[in-house]
Amino acid sequence: KQWYQRRVAITAGERAEIGMLIPSEYQSNPPASTYDEVRIEKWDEMKVYVRAYGGYRDDAEYQQQFDLLKLALDKQNIVPYPHMKIVVGYTYYRYGRQRLEAMLVDNDSFSA
């Protein structure tokens, strides 16, 4: 509970976005939110590049994961969209955060 209270205090008043994939069988008619603050936003298909990381967001190496991913993409002449970084965290029940993924979106996904 202390962690939750501390996290809420840090982010109170800030805007956050949480992305979730809606399973394909529900995409044409997704369930409605029960909260006014939560909305479903449809995005076009895009190409996303991923680097898995076994650490935590407050690790010194966390931001470096995006840099390493960008370096790997540069070697393949792939240009990521410069204004978006996505992080996904996987948590195993009762064991805490198990893995993070640093994600960059292909620049061509936004040049329509």
Side-chain angles (χ1 to χ4, degrees), residues 14-20 39 41 43 57 84 86-87:
E14 294 180 13
R15 181 175 178 241
E17 292 186 24
I18 298 173
M20 299 178 151
R39 69 184 189 290
E41 189 176 282
W43 286 21
R57 289 181 103 165
M84 182 183 293
I86 303 170
V87 63

Side-chain angles (χ1 to χ4, degrees), residues 72-79:
L73 295 174
D74 287 346
K75 289 180 181 180
Q76 299 297 317
N77 295 318
I78 297 171
V79 179

Side-chain angles (χ1 to χ4, degrees), residues 5 12 14 16 18 23-24 29-30 37 47 52 60 64 71 81 86 90 95 97 99 104 111:
Q5 290 173 337
E14 294 180 13
I18 298 173
S24 59
N29 188 20
E37 298 86 6
K47 189 181 291 184
Q64 183 183 22
L71 275 172
Y81 183 65
I86 303 170
Y90 297 91
Y95 290 98
R97 180 63 45 95
R99 173 174 132 165
L104 296 174
S111 59

